[in-house]
Amino acid sequence: MGQAKIIAIFNQSGGVGKTSLTHNLGYHLALRKRKVLLVDMDPQASLTVFLGLEPSDLEETIYQSLMAAEPLPIHSGLYQQSLDLVPANINLSGAELELVVADMRELRLVDALESVRENYDFILIDCPPSLGILSYISLVAASHVLVPIQTEFKALKGTELLLQTISRVKSRANRQLQIAGFVPTMYDARTAQASACVESIRQSLSKIAPIFPTIPRAVAFVDASSQQLPLALYQRTHGAIQVLKEIAKLLD
């Protein structure tokens, strides 16, 4: 198995489908017989909720691992697959403040993951939608960063700041960090703007990293998440499932 490929799924903008992508890619990688750990680094804890846990009920989350060096609280075997989760809750918003003055803060997540890295093929980190310290330490811990980007022109404009952040991490704190690619999300094939935006994404970003298949906008993603299921278990014939399978295959 070796050491896991650690992929931070990151975009400082909210509402780009980041958590849904983490959830569904984790499931499809597990279907490919890969051992997968999902790590919720967002104080909103949406990934934790999507995977069937109630954040307010949890006594142990990623917060204790970051701030008290406690072992990762891993919830195992989700959906009867090789899919595990390290959950989050609102305490993580406190960590954002505490880490500002914490010693060796850049390495807190690196150290937390080190003891389990050989147990997994993939570790997917769901980053918060910000350029704050939780995203920063996630990028420091990652071997790769995967960027979901909404197929709207305003989303494309925001990538410059995102790329500057990745470049800053790579220049000092994590020289090994690679951009795995960009995933166009929430694509509405009925609009000319969305098609033009996908083309702009290809033209402006393909020289930086691969552009993955485009994920369509679909209410089924929201419905599946509200039922705490990946799309493939909620609506087995949905057209987006093939896209997710293809992205998982390309990452594998």
Side-chain angles (χ1 to χ4, degrees), residues 187-245:
Y187 174 65
D188 187 345
R190 298 169 299 178
T191 70
Q193 186 199 26
S195 299
C197 189
V198 169
E199 186 55 36
S200 293
I201 289 170
R202 293 190 199 287
Q203 288 181 5
S204 59
L205 298 176
S206 61
K207 55 185 176 289
I208 298 170
I211 310 298
F212 284 88
T214 300
I215 296 178
R217 181 185 293 275
V219 174
F221 278 114
V222 177
D223 293 342
S225 296
S226 69
Q227 295 297 312
Q228 301 173 332
L229 291 171
L231 183 61
L233 288 180
Y234 176 75
Q235 193 171 328
R236 296 174 188 276
T237 58
H238 197 283
I241 293 170
Q242 197 55 45
V243 178
L244 292 162
K245 282 183 180 178

Side-chain angles (χ1 to χ4, degrees), residues 42-125:
D42 188 345
Q44 296 178 60
S46 296
L47 182 64
T48 299
V49 173
F50 287 4
L51 285 151
L53 300 179
E54 175 48 59
S56 60
D57 292 342
L58 299 172
E59 293 185 9
E60 294 184 341
T61 66
I62 187 66
Y63 172 84
Q64 282 76 19
S65 302
L66 293 175
M67 303 312 304
E70 292 182 11
L72 289 170
I74 295 174
H75 295 250
S76 300
L78 301 166
Y79 309 124
Q80 300 179 320
Q81 297 293 337
S82 300
L83 184 63
D84 297 350
L85 170 72
V86 176
N89 62 18
I90 195 63
N91 290 342
L92 200 52
S93 60
E96 187 112 46
L97 297 172
E98 294 167 51
L99 284 166
V100 172
V101 294
D103 60 312
M104 303 294 285
R105 66 185 181 211
E106 289 90 350
L107 299 178
R108 293 292 180 104
L109 186 56
V110 174
D111 291 345
L113 295 178
E114 189 58 40
S115 63
V116 302
R117 192 170 179 182
E118 292 189 357
N119 301 339
Y120 293 95
D121 299 299
F122 288 90
I123 297 175
L124 304 185
I125 304 172

